[in-house]
Amino acid sequence: MDSYNSFDVAQKQILEAAKLLNLDQATVDFLIWPQKEVKFIFPVRMDNGSVKIFHAWRIQFNTSRGPAKGGIRFHPAETVDTIRALACWMTWKTAVVDIPLGGGKGGVLCDPKSMSLRELENLSRGYIRGVAEYIGIDKDIPAPDVYTNPQTMVWMMDEYETIMHRHQPGVLTDKPLQVGGTQGRRDATARGGVVTVREACRSLGINAKGKYAIQGFGNAGQRAALLHQEMLGGGTLIAVSDSRGAIFNPKGFNPKDLVTHKLMTGSVVGFPGSSTISHDEVLEANVDILYPAALENSIHANNAARIKAKIVCELANGPTTPEADELLYKNHIHVIPDILASAGGVTVSYFEMVQDSYSFFWDEDEVHHRLDKQLTRAYQRVQEALREKKVHPRLAAMIVGVARVAEACKLRGWV
Ligand code: GLU
């Protein structure tokens, strides 16, 4: 990762889109800052009896189209600006897939890998005590993100319901099925991404059954490894990385075995039959499709020129810096931008909220079908904008998202 301030990048992207949309100054001024930011500290009792103080945020970037929506990250490098950027990107993401939600994000500065399960539970509950008055089914609905998961969500939901003295499962999404979760949420981000890859391959005439690589082997990366083959009818996964290292096998990995190896050992490293490569070599692998599924700014000016993939499907938030974007565009690489490619997760989160609100749950096929429809439509809408404005795909997606949000702000009389 280089030293980019993600929020600077996010603000520049808005200005670029606003210019092409001819937005007036008040609208621009309104769209480049979060509407509300909550910063707080809270104590957590650790296993050794000591008390540790944690810094945390919840940011609601824009709520013109509906309540704020977005994940909560537990990360040792968390800053207010990363969360601002991520909350901002959620705003365009929900708008691009056209679901009635705004954008938000939260985070706790912590090192979750060094904490026990009990400490993580205390941290999750403490976080909710700090934000309970700001979140709610009609205000702001968090979900998991980096280093948080459905178990985190149940602890948080339980704490919220305890504070509110009522059942309110829809206050957080990506919960386990037993407590108001939906079918199809766990693989939704990856599934949405693979839908966009399918559409891109169709429209560009690229062989979807060629080689692919995955950078980052967390939830989204693992599911993409499996779903790529399942949904596109083939493909050879030749390079994979996670935070501990990277591996390569020109004959291809069996994604199922690789997921099992990661579950058993905590990493992809050491998978039988693989050779070890560098992190950058995964990004630069000779593949048709590359899925960046790790953190922000992994594709930057120093490695972008060596990327050989024909399609880059951004399952991570903000994986490409602006300079890298230009380079990829110049090299005719089709980038499916994060606010489109990774929108499957929040789309199914929205389906979860809908089901929670009437306490009646859909089967998996219905979730998959609706997700596919929503993402296919969004992909095509972005393609239209790309052709109309003759801009790179990220800017095209920004134009679609920003235009919808600006319109809602205008209709409400905010600007
Ligand atoms: N954390 C996911 C994202 O960045 C999902 C957010 C949500 O479901 O609210 O899109």
Side-chain angles (χ1 to χ4, degrees):
M1 210 196 290
D2 52 26
S3 59
Y4 265 92
N5 178 321
S6 296
F7 189 49
D8 281 348
V9 173
Q11 286 186 312
K12 285 197 189 105
Q13 290 170 344
I14 302 168
L15 294 177
E16 229 183 319
K19 208 161 137 196
L20 286 160
L21 288 164
N22 286 321
L23 296 185
D24 58 81
Q25 196 56 45
T27 306
V28 176
D29 292 345
F30 191 72
L31 293 186
I32 59 170
W33 289 102
Q35 273 177 247
K36 186 182 275 181
E37 300 186 343
V38 183
K39 161 76 193 5
F40 59 105
I41 56 171
F42 64 99
V44 172
R45 174 82 53 192
M46 307 304 276
D47 288 348
N48 65 7
S50 68
V51 170
K52 218 170 147 179
I53 306 301
F54 289 89
H55 289 249
W57 297 263
R58 183 72 193 168
I59 294 182
Q60 294 160 2
F61 198 85
N62 189 291
T63 55
S64 60
R65 291 172 38 86
K69 184 87 191 83
I72 297 168
R73 317 200 322 164
F74 288 172
H75 199 271
E78 210 56 272
T79 69
V80 64
D81 276 346
T82 351
I83 300 172
R84 282 174 172 160
L86 291 159
C88 172
W89 289 328
M90 283 308 300
T91 306
W92 321 130
K93 197 186 280 195
T94 52
V96 165
V97 282
D98 208 8
I99 53 179
L101 295 167
K105 206 82 170 197
V108 181
L109 179 61
C110 64
D111 181 9
K113 287 187 179 170
S114 71
M115 295 172 73
S116 72
L117 216 55
R118 188 164 58 175
E119 289 169 342
L120 287 169
E121 176 172 353
N122 292 343
L123 185 82
S124 306
R125 290 183 184 275
Y127 180 84
I128 288 303
R129 287 195 291 275
V131 292
E133 63 182 301
Y134 304 105
I135 63 170
I137 51 171
D138 46 9
K139 287 197 236 176
D140 181 355
I141 305 99
D145 205 279
V146 173
Y147 298 139
T148 50
N149 55 42
Q151 176 62 73
T152 325
M153 294 304 108
V154 196
W155 290 327
M156 290 184 167
M157 178 193 76
D158 184 68
E159 192 65 26
Y160 182 80
E161 291 186 339
T162 305
I163 294 168
M164 295 299 167
H165 299 287
R166 62 165 69 104
H167 273 290
Q168 202 102 104
V171 68
L172 293 132
T173 57
D174 200 350
K175 303 177 294 292
L177 284 174
Q178 298 85 336
V179 287
T182 177
Q183 296 285 350
R185 176 62 184 85
R186 274 285 82 193
D187 71 10
T189 305
R191 185 174 291 274
V194 177
V195 166
T196 63
V197 167
R198 182 193 66 208
E199 293 305 305
C201 287
R202 267 187 201 153
S203 73
L204 304 169
I206 290 169
N207 176 17
K209 295 180 189 149
K211 293 179 186 155
Y212 65 109
I214 298 184
Q215 178 240 8
F217 214 56
N219 180 49
Q222 291 176 30
R223 305 294 169 137
L226 298 161
L227 286 175
H228 182 98
Q229 295 186 353
E230 192 183 308
M231 292 169 65
L232 305 179
T236 311
L237 175 61
I238 64 164
V240 182
S241 67
D242 61 24
S243 60
R244 300 201 193 153
I247 56 168
F248 176 71
N249 183 342
K251 294 204 197 87
F253 296 112
N254 177 328
K256 260 197 200 124
D257 294 346
L258 196 54
V259 169
T260 309
H261 179 81
K262 167 96 185 183
L263 276 177
M264 309 282 286
T265 67
S267 174
V268 294
V269 176
F271 184 70
S274 67
S275 49
T276 306
I277 54 173
S278 72
H279 277 103
D280 269 0
E281 281 172 309
V282 173
L283 297 170
E284 296 160 14
N286 201 352
V287 291
D288 299 285
I289 295 140
L290 169 68
Y291 292 93
L295 288 174
E296 307 90 68
N297 303 329
S298 332
I299 304 180
H300 43 73
N302 298 331
N303 59 17
R306 289 193 296 275
I307 288 182
K308 298 175 195 71
K310 298 186 180 90
I311 295 173
V312 174
C313 174
E314 295 184 340
L315 292 179
N317 289 307
T320 311
T321 68
E323 284 82 0
D325 239 351
E326 290 296 324
L327 285 166
L328 297 179
Y329 188 55
K330 238 176 50 203
N331 291 342
H332 307 288
I333 294 169
H334 184 74
V335 175
I336 310 174
D338 52 359
I339 57 172
L340 171 63
S342 74
V346 73
T347 302
V348 175
S349 275
Y350 163 60
F351 297 161
E352 182 172 332
M353 290 168 61
V354 171
Q355 294 168 76
D356 282 337
S357 78
Y358 57 74
S359 260
F360 183 78
F361 292 86
W362 311 343
D363 61 28
E364 199 173 33
D365 283 349
E366 180 156 6
V367 173
H368 290 172
H369 174 71
R370 286 181 187 271
L371 170 64
D372 198 315
K373 220 164 94 182
Q374 205 97 18
L375 266 287
T376 303
R377 204 187 298 144
Y379 180 85
Q380 283 159 1
R381 178 68 198 93
V382 170
Q383 287 303 108
E384 276 166 31
L386 189 144
R387 283 192 294 269
E388 257 167 51
K389 306 271 185 192
K390 299 192 173 36
V391 291
H392 60 81
R394 186 178 323 279
L395 191 49
M398 283 293 294
I399 286 170
V400 174
V402 171
R404 285 179 177 156
V405 174
E407 215 174 305
C409 293
K410 198 137 268 158
L411 283 167
R412 283 175 181 272
W414 287 354
V415 284

